[in-house]
Amino acid sequence: METQNKIALVTGGSRGLGKNAALKIAAKGIGVIVTYQSKKEEAEDTVNEIKQFGVQAAALQLNVADTKTFDAFFVEVKTILKSVFDAEKFDFLINNAGIGIHASFAETTEEQFDTLVNIQFKGAFFLTQKALSLLNDGGGIINISTGLARFALPGYAAYASMKGAMETLTRYQAKELGSRGIKANIVAPGAIETDFGGGVVRDNEQVNAGIASNTALGRVGLPDDIGGVVAFLCTEDARWINAQRIEASGGMFL
Ligand SMILES: NC(=O)c1ccc[n+]([C@@H]2O[C@H](COP(=O)([O-])OP(=O)(O)OC[C@H]3O[C@@H](n4cnc5c(N)ncnc54)[C@H](OP(=O)(O)O)[C@@H]3O)[C@@H](O)[C@H]2O)c1
């Protein structure tokens, strides 16, 4: 298989979209390192599920908001690559870890803004920069945006702006890393039923129905709707897709 001996690093792989992407990537025969922030047991469950696909897997703790820890994190990654995967480098970085904060533009505090920017933009920016020396030429970066960067819903000014910044960054990464054969793309999910934002999309019937009625395919998204898109971008079939924003929203707010 062309994906054999490839390795992906998925941030926020303990649950939600990151976990789903990690499993779909593993199903393609690609080894996976997942990171978690606080949910170690969930990350270990993910690792055990990944191994059922016959590939190697490992979990590492990482707070993407804490850039000072990134050097030490990549020392750990290097050790794990050697000990678990018998490899020096990895092939795909999936910048998925993230949180949402719901606040109107008028009421967003500086503290909320800083929390979001540190996780959603600064963290992904510098984590990827520090990953470059461990990323194989010919590999890929897959960032995660949101439908909210295309359409505007009240309450997401700061969050969606940072995802918009990630979309711009993705094009710069593609431009500057293309000489190494490294592709950069960004997947933009619509509203998906996960723990995200306190699980509001999944647990609040009114919100769920409202989104479904504004989605061409008539329902809210599930993690299973997204992971396969990320996994596809890790395959040879996707080798010519570069610098793209790929929305997977079932057709939200068309
Ligand atoms: N769900 C949606 O509707 C939706 C739509 C569009 C885009 N997205 C984006 O998709 C990504 C994943 O969201 P999700 O729905 O899967 O959320 P989720 O179910 O809440 O999972 C969040 C994941 O990110 C990790 N994480 C959170 N803060 C972190 C930090 N500071 N450092 C490192 N890891 C951190 C969590 O780790 P622990 O488990 O250890 O806490 C967890 O693995 C996010 O970037 C989000 O913005 C989500």
Side-chain angles (χ1 to χ4, degrees):
M1 213 188 310
E2 108 258 327
T3 43
Q4 232 168 13
N5 301 323
K6 302 274 191 219
I7 302 162
L9 172 60
V10 181
T11 67
S14 44
R15 53 205 166 99
L17 302 186
K19 175 174 183 173
N20 193 275
L23 294 175
K24 295 279 173 73
I25 290 168
K28 295 200 177 290
I30 299 170
V32 189
I33 301 173
V34 293
T35 76
Y36 61 94
Q37 186 191 20
S38 59
K39 301 211 179 307
K40 187 174 186 203
E41 271 182 34
E42 278 87 340
E44 280 165 2
D45 288 346
T46 307
V47 164
N48 289 330
E49 287 179 52
I50 290 171
K51 284 182 180 164
Q52 288 170 17
F53 291 100
V55 297
Q56 303 296 341
L60 286 174
Q61 202 277 335
L62 171 71
N63 177 0
V64 294
D66 196 356
T67 50
K68 292 185 305 299
T69 65
F70 290 177
D71 285 333
F73 171 72
F74 281 112
V75 169
E76 275 188 274
V77 169
K78 225 175 158 170
T79 307
I80 291 282
L81 283 171
K82 192 82 213 144
S83 62
V84 176
F85 298 88
D86 193 23
E88 302 288 327
K89 295 185 175 190
F90 65 100
D91 301 280
F92 303 102
L93 173 62
I94 293 91
N95 283 307
N96 161 81
I99 60 153
I101 295 178
H102 188 270
S104 70
F105 169 66
E107 288 174 352
T108 299
T109 64
E110 196 171 337
E111 195 186 352
Q112 287 172 324
F113 183 97
D114 286 345
T115 300
L116 277 170
V117 84
N118 285 337
I119 295 175
Q120 297 285 6
F121 185 51
K122 185 180 173 188
F125 188 107
F126 287 103
L127 191 78
T128 307
Q129 186 189 74
K130 300 237 176 221
L132 289 178
S133 61
L134 283 184
L135 203 57
N136 272 321
D137 289 359
I141 296 162
I142 299 152
N143 295 316
I144 303 294
S145 182
T146 169
L148 294 162
R150 171 176 61 82
F151 48 78
L153 282 185
Y156 295 102
Y159 169 77
S161 299
M162 286 150 203
K163 292 298 201 183
M166 286 302 297
E167 293 185 6
T168 301
L169 173 63
T170 302
R171 287 189 292 276
Y172 275 83
Q173 289 170 332
K175 185 81 175 172
E176 295 191 15
L177 302 173
S179 56
R180 288 181 53 190
I182 294 173
K183 300 163 291 292
N185 292 291
I186 187 157
V187 174
I192 313 291
E193 292 187 7
T194 67
D195 295 339
F196 187 79
V200 64
V201 169
R202 181 190 55 214
D203 302 336
N204 182 318
E205 275 178 35
Q206 221 180 331
V207 170
N208 193 292
I211 293 163
S213 70
N214 282 299
T215 302
L217 291 179
R219 65 169 174 84
V220 167
L222 300 169
D224 248 352
D225 295 318
I226 306 300
V229 180
V230 175
F232 166 64
L233 291 171
C234 298
T235 67
E236 191 59 14
D237 282 343
R239 69 184 179 192
W240 206 235
I241 299 176
N242 196 16
Q244 297 305 300
R245 174 188 192 270
I246 301 171
E247 184 169 313
S249 70
M252 265 183 92
F253 291 106
L254 297 176

